[in-house]
Amino acid sequence: MSSNGSATGPQSQSIVANLRYDIPASLVVFLVALPLSLGIAIASGAPLVAGLIAAVVGGIVAGTLGGSAVQVSGPAAGLTVVVAELIHDLGWPMLCVMTIGAGVLQILFGVSRMARAALAIAPVVVHAMLAGIGITIVLQQIHVLVGGTSYSSAWQNLVALPNGILHHELHEVIVGGMVIGILLLWSKLPAKLRMVPGALVAIVAAAALAKAVGLDVERINLQGSFFDVIGFPELTGQTPGGQPWTHEISAILLGVLTIFLIASVESLLCAVGVDKLHNGPRTNFNREMVGQGSANVVSGMLGGLPITGVIVRSSANVAAGGRTRMSAILHGVWVLLFASLFTNLVELIPKAALAGLLIVIGAQLVKLAHVQLAWRTGNFVIYVITIVCVVFLNLLEGVAIGLAVAILFLLIRVVRAPIEARPIGDEPHKWRVDIDGTLSFLLMPRLTGVLSTLPQGSDVTLNLNADYIDHSISEAISDWKQGHEAAGGKVTIVEISPANMSTAQQKPPKRHFNSRSLREAPWPSRRDSNGDQPDSSILDGVKEYHRSGISNLHHHVPELVGSPNPDTLFLTCADSRILPDTITASRPGDLYIVRNVGNLVPTDPAERSVDAALDFAINQLGVSSVVVCGHSSCRALQALLDNTIDDAQSPVGHWLEHANDSLAAYRENHPARVSSTSNGFNFSELDQLAIVNVAVQVERLTRNPIVAPRVAAGEVQIVGIFFDFATVHVHEVNQHGIVHATEKDPEGASKSASKSASKSAEVH
């Protein structure tokens, strides 16, 4: 299939060929979707058939037209609170109109090719929104589970909860509690049993118990057959409160916008999440919006609930082996057949059973991982504020307030520049002030506060390392300098970044980048035009670092001064042209780099230098990957290939004896050599040897007594890569030879074995 999920020509044949995977997956998704669709309809206060209609349309229409190969759409818990409020205020017929309107906006959004813009919402706000929805659902459905009626607001549900629990209906509690118990225990059962959806088992078991024992429980009522009820509801022209709809235009438009925003964001975030679960085609977000919008238009016209991509159904689809959009489409067909042929079975389900199901679903929307992530990243306040506002105000206001708080935190973090004033040595009259980062007028209170603490008459060196300086900061520093010197002090301003005070006084400020980019070639050379004598010393390079490079590294100071925490041991050649951090897109501290001539792993017990590095990196630092990196135009291997080292007892000759196995494997046409001249590759003999050498060193590592036990336990991965200077591409090398960086194995899984290999897949 293509990246946009279309299925024509050979792609149609692929869909047919995958039916043996998609049909079983569609049945699993159908069994998951059926009880969820009914439960969401009840929680929304909509006709029960509306949930089934949305499931059918979401599967068939969104599955056919959407941009994701395996995402499954239908009525979602994320819209339950909004839909319930809109139905209560404006009525069910108007909700269908608003669903159509939201669908039209989604289609326009997709056609305009701006769908990715919906992803520009802080993840912490989305997580908190879902958690707030989950809490609201739980507060509503507890009342249904105990045999009562839920209220319109979360606060009323919370206040009435103690009384509802005290005056519960025992039969309802037994049925709902049974569903909750089964769902909580289901995840602990063996995987083979869990192939049957727990939600289906719980609902069937509860319905069977209620029927067999004769429990006095309220059951759902579809109010007619599926095809009798299907269709656009009759418009009365008035809201449930008796107001003409013409008086509620603003509320209707707000409802359309709310459904559009939530449905779009939830669908796109679901697509992003599902893409992480499989190795097939990635989602075309614009097409997905067109598919979601089309489904909502059709669902509204047929009397169905609003539709979004649903992560529960989508993840079940992937886990069950679904490969193409046919699994989503067929799941909609199965829902349609069941709703039209087995209505009587649906009406045996107790409402308390669906309430128990919804309570578990709502509780699962509050994820401990999201709470921990918000705490670790300093976003816990945003998370809590958003949840409280979503629960006790409404969804749209809660999300808006959460976004406002998130933006406020962002502004504080962006404009917060480290300012540090400290004495130099033991001399009380000599001070140093370091100011780093974005220097705007928002920094004025802090800047002036620090400068005011410096003793009068002191000798101050002020180091400015800024990517942005505006006029107010420049003027404030100039005024302070003038006043400090007037009082007998001395001020020396050292500006070590492109953004400077004089520029800020002359033209509008702009952001500058402090570090030299790899694209700003050529790099300054320390050799003369003949390439012989150095034009400048290494100390000149140190001075250049202090002028233009120190600011970039300054941001990593906490990582550098703390305990080393690399994730990868990177074994490469001593060749000075190899840039490990650059070709793996690694931060300072990510790589534990070991270099030697020819990137070799000696097997001689007398040669323990590499073993010492392996022992320290694996057993002391806890790295999870070991990478062997070879390169093109290797002079050491050229000497080995040409047999130009006469004295085997010389240090280099003795060392290169460890590469004799690589030379022998090369001459015996090792698979790495064969692959380096096939599949579009055309490497020289020297580079072929270098590629074989990487494969041989990887094989040695798999047998190394330090590494082998960790590899067997799945704690360490070994990766081989080859860096081609001519193309600046990084290629993966495994036991079968060199492979394309994006090549997939027959099952569709990436051949990349570790974080470093995936980061270094291609560098231009």
Side-chain angles (χ1 to χ4, degrees):
M1 292 184 70
S2 65
S3 61
N4 63 7
S6 61
T8 59
Q11 297 162 345
S12 298
Q13 297 175 6
S14 174
I15 291 177
V16 174
N18 283 312
L19 280 178
R20 63 192 180 100
Y21 301 103
D22 291 332
I23 291 176
S26 69
L27 291 171
V28 172
V29 179
F30 154 68
L31 296 176
V32 171
L34 183 66
L36 292 181
S37 300
L38 293 170
I40 290 169
I42 286 182
S44 302
L48 291 179
V49 174
L52 298 176
I53 293 171
V56 172
V57 174
I60 297 176
V61 177
T64 301
L65 302 178
S68 174
V70 293
Q71 176 159 287
V72 182
S73 302
L79 276 168
T80 299
V81 176
V82 170
V83 169
E85 185 175 345
L86 291 174
I87 292 175
H88 178 270
D89 295 341
L90 301 172
W92 168 245
M94 183 50 65
L95 188 278
C96 293
V97 173
M98 289 186 286
T99 300
I100 295 172
V104 171
L105 289 180
Q106 286 181 304
I107 293 173
L108 295 175
F109 198 46
V111 170
S112 66
R113 307 187 68 80
M114 296 190 301
R116 285 185 181 272
L119 297 175
I121 297 179
V124 65
V125 175
V126 177
H127 296 162
M129 176 192 77
L130 295 174
I133 292 170
I135 293 171
T136 303
I137 291 173
V138 170
L139 290 175
Q140 286 179 343
Q141 296 305 310
I142 286 178
H143 290 281
V144 179
L145 184 140
V146 299
T149 303
S150 62
Y151 296 87
S152 58
S153 74
W155 179 251
Q156 289 175 314
N157 283 318
L158 186 62
V159 171
L161 190 57
N163 184 63
I165 294 175
L166 288 174
H167 299 87
H168 64 272
E169 297 289 340
L170 181 60
H171 290 185
E172 305 279 3
V173 174
I174 291 173
V175 170
M178 179 181 181
V179 171
I180 294 174
I182 291 175
L183 291 174
L184 293 179
L185 293 174
W186 200 251
S187 61
K188 304 184 183 302
L189 297 178
K192 290 185 177 179
L193 291 177
R194 286 188 278 111
M195 289 298 293
V196 181
L200 179 70
V201 173
I203 296 299
V204 171
L209 175 68
K211 184 70 175 178
V213 181
L215 296 178
D216 182 18
V217 293
E218 185 179 0
R219 291 177 169 82
I220 65 176
N221 183 4
L222 293 179
Q223 298 176 342
S225 69
F226 182 79
F227 289 107
D228 289 339
V229 178
I230 195 171
F232 190 81
E234 182 180 354
L235 293 171
T236 62
Q238 291 184 332
T239 67
Q243 293 292 324
W245 279 335
T246 53
H247 293 177
E248 302 289 346
I249 294 298
S250 60
I252 293 171
L253 293 177
L254 182 61
V256 170
L257 182 62
T258 303
I259 295 174
F260 159 67
L261 289 174
I262 296 174
S264 300
V265 171
E266 186 166 350
S267 297
L268 293 176
L269 290 176
C270 177
V272 171
V274 173
D275 279 350
K276 296 178 181 179
L277 302 178
H278 70 97
N279 294 301
R282 304 294 92 181
T283 299
N284 181 320
F285 293 107
N286 294 311
R287 176 172 172 173
E288 183 62 24
M289 274 297 92
V290 173
Q292 294 291 332
S294 302
N296 273 313
V297 170
V298 175
S299 183
M301 293 177 66
L302 297 179
L305 285 168
I307 290 168
T308 75
V310 186
I311 191 63
V312 175
R313 303 178 197 194
S314 302
S315 58
N317 184 33
V318 174
R323 294 194 173 186
T324 74
R325 61 184 66 251
M326 283 305 299
S327 56
I329 295 171
L330 288 174
H331 120 274
V333 174
W334 307 143
V335 175
L336 175 62
L337 292 175
F338 184 88
S340 57
L341 299 178
F342 301 103
T343 303
N344 293 336
L345 290 178
V346 175
E347 292 183 334
L348 293 176
I349 300 174
K351 285 187 175 181
L354 292 177
L357 172 63
L358 288 167
I359 288 172
V360 174
I361 293 173
Q364 289 174 343
L365 290 176
V366 186
K367 297 184 181 297
L368 178 60
H370 291 165
V371 178
Q372 294 172 333
L373 178 63
W375 182 265
R376 289 198 310 269
T377 56
N379 293 323
F380 189 70
V381 173
I382 303 172
Y383 187 82
V384 172
I385 290 175
T386 305
I387 287 179
V388 171
C389 292
V390 167
V391 172
F392 294 109
L393 296 176
N394 60 56
L395 192 63
L396 192 60
E397 291 180 6
V399 170
I401 293 173
L403 280 175
V405 176
I407 292 171
L408 177 61
F409 270 62
L410 173 64
L411 286 174
I412 293 173
R413 289 165 179 167
V414 168
V415 303
R416 181 191 297 162
I419 304 176
E420 183 180 6
R422 61 180 183 273
I424 299 176
D426 297 327
E427 302 182 47
H429 294 293
K430 287 190 176 183
W431 284 74
R432 171 176 174 170
V433 180
D434 293 312
I435 307 176
D436 185 20
T438 302
L439 311 184
S440 72
F441 66 92
L442 296 173
L443 192 68
M444 288 282 288
R446 189 154 166 249
L447 173 65
T448 54
V450 171
L451 295 179
S452 67
T453 63
L454 298 173
Q456 284 190 348
S458 58
D459 186 349
V460 179
T461 299
L462 193 150
N463 295 314
L464 278 178
N465 179 27
D467 57 8
Y468 175 96
I469 299 179
D470 67 11
H471 169 261
S472 60
I473 293 294
S474 176
E475 187 175 79
I477 293 176
S478 298
D479 290 345
W480 169 80
K481 178 177 183 292
Q482 183 177 356
H484 190 77
E485 291 180 338
K490 179 182 178 182
V491 177
T492 302
I493 298 178
V494 180
E495 297 181 279
I496 55 176
S497 57
N500 54 65
M501 293 174 52
S502 61
T503 303
Q505 299 275 1
Q506 298 169 3
K507 57 185 178 180
K510 66 177 182 178
R511 186 176 297 278
H512 296 267
F513 296 97
N514 295 321
S515 59
R516 183 181 298 275
S517 169
L518 289 176
R519 292 171 291 188
E520 295 177 23
W523 290 303
S525 174
R526 285 199 290 270
R527 293 187 178 273
D528 63 16
S529 57
N530 296 321
D532 296 327
Q533 300 299 322
D535 270 347
S536 58
S537 71
I538 194 70
L539 294 179
D540 291 322
V542 172
K543 293 177 182 177
E544 173 63 22
Y545 159 72
H546 281 102
R547 282 194 300 270
S548 60
I550 193 171
S551 57
N552 189 48
L553 196 57
H554 182 81
H555 299 290
H556 297 282
V557 165
E559 305 167 39
L560 297 175
V561 299
S563 299
N565 188 32
D567 55 45
T568 299
L569 183 148
F570 195 91
L571 173 63
T572 190
C573 185
D575 194 301
S576 59
R577 296 169 294 176
I578 300 175
L579 311 173
D581 290 337
T582 300
I583 65 174
T584 59
S586 298
R587 303 172 305 168
D590 282 351
L591 302 181
Y592 185 75
I593 300 173
V594 179
R595 289 182 182 264
N596 62 46
V597 176
N599 45 273
L600 302 178
V601 181
T603 56
D604 185 351
E607 179 54 66
R608 305 303 301 272
S609 61
V610 175
D611 280 355
L614 289 169
D615 184 21
F616 187 74
I618 292 175
N619 296 321
Q620 300 297 324
L621 301 180
V623 301
S624 58
S625 301
V626 177
V627 175
V628 178
C629 175
H631 65 95
S632 62
S633 306
C634 181
R635 295 182 182 180
L637 294 181
Q638 182 73 66
L640 185 69
L641 184 64
D642 297 341
N643 194 24
T644 57
I645 300 180
D646 297 328
D647 185 4
Q649 297 307 311
S650 68
V652 173
H654 177 72
W655 175 257
L656 287 180
E657 287 182 349
H658 298 304
N660 285 337
D661 288 351
S662 299
L663 183 60
Y666 165 79
R667 289 171 174 167
E668 294 169 3
N669 283 325
H670 187 282
R673 179 182 184 183
V674 176
S675 67
S676 64
T677 55
S678 60
N679 297 326
F681 298 121
N682 187 23
F683 291 103
S684 67
E685 290 188 355
L686 173 59
D687 293 348
Q688 293 172 37
L689 173 58
I691 293 167
V692 171
N693 182 53
V694 170
V696 170
Q697 306 314 312
V698 169
E699 291 169 5
R700 286 181 177 179
L701 283 172
T702 61
R703 300 190 301 270
N704 186 285
I706 298 172
V707 184
R710 298 299 182 94
V711 173
E715 298 173 355
V716 173
Q717 295 173 318
I718 302 174
V719 179
I721 59 177
F722 175 80
F723 180 40
D724 183 14
F725 293 135
T727 62
V728 291
H729 277 59
V730 180
H731 303 277
E732 183 185 351
V733 179
N734 61 24
Q735 60 184 344
H736 304 296
I738 188 167
V739 295
H740 284 288
T742 56
E743 185 176 339
K744 306 287 183 177
D745 64 20
E747 295 300 321
S750 173
K751 288 180 183 280
S752 293
S754 74
K755 175 181 174 181
S756 293
S758 63
K759 286 194 294 186
S760 62
E762 274 198 10
V763 179
H764 296 274

